[in-house]
């Protein structure tokens, strides 16, 4: 890699990092090339030449958010056996992440869902696509748990995904809005109780 290419990639990485911070603080819909230029010390034309457009920047931010989320939540869970152990690992890592009030752990999808719930357009579509992709991943893990006999055969995967999501949204609310230091413990106990109602009698784990 030549020096010019390395510098260009480093500049793009700096822009993307600043954009992620802005999106976490103000919301993905509040991203601005002008404000980003101020924060990074790069000219607005310089920012534009690297990201292409505001829409492209928003997509890049969500793509990077997805990559980091997957690296923190999904990939580590693959070290666990398929089925219920993997589902529990995913939910545990996810809940611990959102219970950390640090800026980098802000959920762009939860915030975006409220910001764009009654709007239309490419950004809303991209947010919905990302949320549905993670739900599909959870559903796949739940189906594996059913196939392996960890969960009851009459389990409704869609219902369980909904209930898990509801617990996470409640955790985000109580952690970030109420600043409740007990929110994670409450959520973990609620999830344990929830899973106990779905576990197969044949699963003694």
């Amino acid at each position: 890699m030549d020096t010019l290419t390395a510098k260009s990639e480093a500049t793009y990485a700096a822009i993307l990092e600043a954009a992620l911070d802005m999106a976490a603080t103000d919301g993905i819909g509040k991203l601005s090339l002008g404000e980003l230029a101020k924060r990074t010390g790069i000219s607005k034309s310089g920012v534009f030449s690297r990201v292409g457009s505001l829409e492209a920047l928003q997509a890049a931010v969500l793509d990077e958010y997805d990559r980091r989320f997957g690296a923190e939540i999904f990939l580590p869970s693959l070290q666990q056996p398929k089925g219920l152990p993997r589902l529990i690992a995913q939910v545990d890592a996810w809940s611990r992440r959102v219970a950390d009030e640090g800026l980098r752990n802000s959920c762009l999808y939860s915030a975006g869902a409220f910001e764009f719930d009654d709007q239309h357009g490419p950004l809303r579509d991209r947010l919905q696509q990302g949320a549905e992709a993670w739900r599909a991943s959870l559903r796949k893990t739940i189906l594996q748990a059913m196939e392996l006999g960890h969960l009851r055969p009459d389990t409704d995967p869609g219902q369980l995904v909904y209930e898990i999501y509801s617990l996470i949204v409640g955790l985000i609310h109580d952690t970030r809005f109420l600043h409740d230091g007990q929110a994670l413990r409450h959520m973990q106990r609620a999830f344990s109780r929830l899973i106990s109602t779905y576990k197969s009698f044949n699963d003694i784990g």
Side-chain angles (χ1 to χ4, degrees):
M1 182 184 296
D2 59 50
T3 302
L4 186 60
T5 300
K7 182 178 180 181
S8 178
E9 291 188 358
T11 300
Y12 179 78
I15 291 171
L16 187 57
E17 195 69 31
L20 275 162
D21 287 346
M22 285 179 61
T25 303
D26 305 322
I28 188 76
K30 299 297 192 298
L31 281 178
S32 158
L33 296 184
E35 181 60 27
L36 194 56
K38 293 178 183 178
R39 296 195 184 194
T40 58
I42 302 170
S43 67
K44 187 174 180 179
S45 60
V47 171
F48 182 82
S49 69
R50 287 171 172 82
V51 303
S53 67
L54 177 59
E55 291 75 18
L57 174 63
Q58 290 168 331
V61 165
L62 289 172
D63 287 345
E64 179 62 15
Y65 179 88
D66 289 345
R67 187 193 68 77
R68 296 185 186 189
F69 186 89
E72 293 179 27
I73 309 301
F74 180 73
L75 293 180
S77 75
L78 297 182
Q79 304 302 314
Q80 299 296 322
K82 287 184 177 180
L84 188 55
R86 190 169 294 179
L87 177 65
I88 290 173
Q90 288 175 355
V91 175
D92 182 65
W94 189 14
S95 61
R96 290 182 183 279
R97 185 182 192 275
V98 301
D100 182 343
E101 293 189 69
L103 176 63
R104 294 184 182 279
N105 294 322
S106 175
C107 182
L108 299 187
Y109 286 106
S110 295
F114 288 103
E115 189 177 359
F116 292 95
D117 59 350
D118 57 354
Q119 299 185 35
H120 300 282
L123 180 54
R124 187 199 186 284
D125 293 343
R126 174 62 181 81
L127 287 164
Q128 181 174 342
Q129 177 188 15
E132 289 179 343
W134 179 233
R135 284 187 179 227
S137 178
L138 282 177
R139 187 176 188 278
K140 179 180 179 180
T141 306
I142 290 168
L143 287 171
Q144 289 175 342
M146 294 171 63
E147 292 167 0
L148 291 167
H150 299 161
L151 298 178
R152 297 198 324 261
D154 64 345
T155 295
D156 181 340
Q159 178 67 31
L160 182 49
V161 168
Y162 173 85
E163 290 169 337
I164 291 172
Y165 246 82
S166 297
L167 290 177
I168 291 292
V169 171
L171 175 60
I172 293 172
H173 176 275
D174 284 16
T175 296
R176 295 187 170 273
F177 183 66
L178 300 182
H179 302 294
D180 182 358
Q182 298 299 313
L184 177 60
R185 183 174 67 88
H186 293 326
M187 186 276 175
Q188 290 172 331
R189 292 175 64 183
F191 176 66
S192 179
R193 186 178 297 115
L194 172 67
I195 286 299
S196 72
T197 68
Y198 282 98
K199 289 182 69 174
S200 168
F201 291 117
N202 297 322
D203 181 40
I204 60 175

